């Protein structure tokens, strides 16, 4: 028995070769990371920042009309003017409140339906057909129907955002649960694990990457739902600023509103990246981006 538990000794030549190989591989990995940082100094923001700088240069040279696309510096000045007039912060707070309420409602529906549909055959029959149909309906197409049903109050805007968030969450979570390796479930069952432990220790942790993918899509679609919701009968919010600027042909303020939406999308992506670093660090071969 002691011989079986002893660790086999590698020949001296293999030990020397391994000791030489590991530092060399680490060195190559460090060099590769350094080159990547030099090539992409701002990470995922390198290309957007470069495009903004080129945009500023082209506008300064007079190759791009201010009526068509103002320079980024002009757009930022328009945002600063809105801030000084006390309109920017309340508008952002209102839009974030709408997006947050709709996102929470949509995630609650999408996660509940996704878990039930992924774990239970009856749940699949109950939810899958409905969500597959809703997946093909654009947000703007369902907006008139929601106005007929619920009017033009805040409830319609929140429900539209929740619709955009619930559908991708359900689809990704359902596929993630059904995509968990069945051999892992069989191993847990053979080890005597109860049904509850199989779900909490195997199925749900195995579906966690798919859940995060769904969360990324839900956050993005909640921003799209916010854009669509704020195009109809609003007197505050980012959409209100854009509609008013369109009325008075203030292109710089229209672009600034679009920049706010874009920043919200980037922040949502960063939230998911942080969650991935925290929740998926246990996965073998996982490398935080």
């Amino acid at each position: 028995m002691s011989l079986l538990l002893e660790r086999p000794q590698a020949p001296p030549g293999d030990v020397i070769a391994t000791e030489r190989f590991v530092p060399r591989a680490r060195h190559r990995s460090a060099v590769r990371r350094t080159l990547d940082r030099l090539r992409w100094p701002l990470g995922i923001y390198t290309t957007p920042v470069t495009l903004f700088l080129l945009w500023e240069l082209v506008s300064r040279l007079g190759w791009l009309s201010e009526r068509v696309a103002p320079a980024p510096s002009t757009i930022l000045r328009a945002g600063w003017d809105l801030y000084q007039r006390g309109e920017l912060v309340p508008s952002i707070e209102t839009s974030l409140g709408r997006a947050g309420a709709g996102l929470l409602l949509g995630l609650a529906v999408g996660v509940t339906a996704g878990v039930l549909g992924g774990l239970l055959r009856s749940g699949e029959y109950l939810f899958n057909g409905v969500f597959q149909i809703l997946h093909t309906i654009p947000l703007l197409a369902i907006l008139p129907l929601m106005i007929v049903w619920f009017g033009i109050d805040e409830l319609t805007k929140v429900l539209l955002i929740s619709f955009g968030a619930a559908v991708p969450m359900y689809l990704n979570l359902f596929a993630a649960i059904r995509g968990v390796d069945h051999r892992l479930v069989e191993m847990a069952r053979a080890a005597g694990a109860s049904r509850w432990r199989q779900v909490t220790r195997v199925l749900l942790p195995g579906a966690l990457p798919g859940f995060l993918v769904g969360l990324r899509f839900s956050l993005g679609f909640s921003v799209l739902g916010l854009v669509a919701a704020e195009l109809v009968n609003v007197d505050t919010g980012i959409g209100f600023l854009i509609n008013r600027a369109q009325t008075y042909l203030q292109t710089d303020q229209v672009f600034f509103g679009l920049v706010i939406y874009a920043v919200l999308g980037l922040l949502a992506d960063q939230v998911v990246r942080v969650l991935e670093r925290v929740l998926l660090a246990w996965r073998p071969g996982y490398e935080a981006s």
Side-chain angles (χ1 to χ4, degrees):
M1 181 63 69
S2 61
L3 293 177
L4 295 176
L5 297 178
E6 286 181 359
R7 186 175 182 179
Q9 299 294 326
D14 292 346
V15 174
I16 295 175
T18 303
E19 290 177 352
R20 290 177 179 175
F21 172 75
V22 173
R24 190 177 303 170
R26 290 177 179 174
H27 174 71
R28 281 199 292 265
S29 179
V31 171
R32 190 179 298 111
R33 287 196 298 268
T34 302
L35 292 177
D36 288 340
R37 281 194 293 267
L38 292 176
R39 190 181 301 114
W40 307 99
L42 299 178
I44 64 173
Y45 302 107
T46 303
T47 301
V49 170
T50 302
L51 291 177
F52 269 96
L53 292 177
L54 291 176
W55 182 3
E56 181 72 25
L57 178 62
V58 169
S59 298
R60 292 295 181 182
L61 293 175
W63 296 348
L64 191 61
S65 172
E66 289 285 326
R67 179 75 175 273
V68 175
S73 57
T74 304
I75 296 173
L76 293 178
R77 281 199 300 270
W80 178 250
D81 292 339
L82 290 173
Y83 174 76
Q84 288 184 320
R85 295 204 300 264
E87 299 179 2
L88 181 59
V89 175
S91 297
I92 293 178
E93 290 177 348
T94 301
S95 295
L96 288 179
R98 290 169 180 156
L103 177 64
L104 291 177
L105 179 59
L107 290 181
V109 174
V111 170
T112 302
V115 171
L116 294 177
L119 296 178
L120 304 175
R121 185 67 62 183
S122 58
E124 178 185 4
Y125 294 156
L126 182 62
F127 297 112
N128 200 48
V130 175
F131 277 92
Q132 292 294 343
I133 293 173
L134 295 178
H135 177 57
T136 62
I137 302 178
L139 285 174
L140 290 178
I142 203 173
L143 178 58
L145 183 60
M146 287 194 172
I147 292 177
V148 172
W149 284 351
F150 305 106
I152 53 178
D153 295 331
E154 288 295 315
L155 178 60
T156 299
K157 301 173 181 58
V158 172
L159 291 178
L160 185 65
I161 297 170
S162 65
F163 172 82
V167 174
M169 173 54 70
Y170 170 82
L171 295 177
N172 284 275
L173 186 55
F174 172 82
I177 294 176
R178 290 300 176 93
V180 174
D181 193 345
H182 287 283
R183 291 174 296 181
L184 299 176
V185 180
E186 293 296 334
M187 291 173 58
R189 186 179 295 117
S194 63
R195 177 64 175 172
W196 175 252
R197 290 181 68 86
Q198 293 174 31
V199 171
T200 57
R201 298 297 180 90
V202 178
L203 289 175
L204 294 184
L208 189 56
F211 165 78
L212 292 175
V213 173
L215 180 60
R216 177 177 273 112
F217 279 107
S218 294
L219 288 170
F221 276 97
S222 66
V223 176
L224 294 178
L226 176 65
V227 175
E230 292 191 335
L231 293 178
V232 179
N233 191 43
V234 290
D235 54 5
T236 183
I238 302 171
F240 169 73
L241 297 180
I242 294 178
N243 287 332
R244 188 185 63 182
Q246 176 194 4
T247 303
Y248 295 102
L249 300 179
Q250 297 172 324
T251 313
D252 51 354
Q253 292 188 16
V254 173
F255 269 92
F256 185 75
L258 297 179
V259 168
I260 296 177
Y261 285 133
V263 170
L264 290 178
L266 284 176
L267 291 177
D269 180 73
Q270 290 304 305
V271 169
V272 178
R273 285 174 177 267
V274 171
L275 290 176
E276 287 177 344
R277 292 190 184 99
V278 175
L279 299 178
L280 299 183
W282 55 270
R283 297 183 65 193
Y286 173 77
E287 184 177 351
S289 56

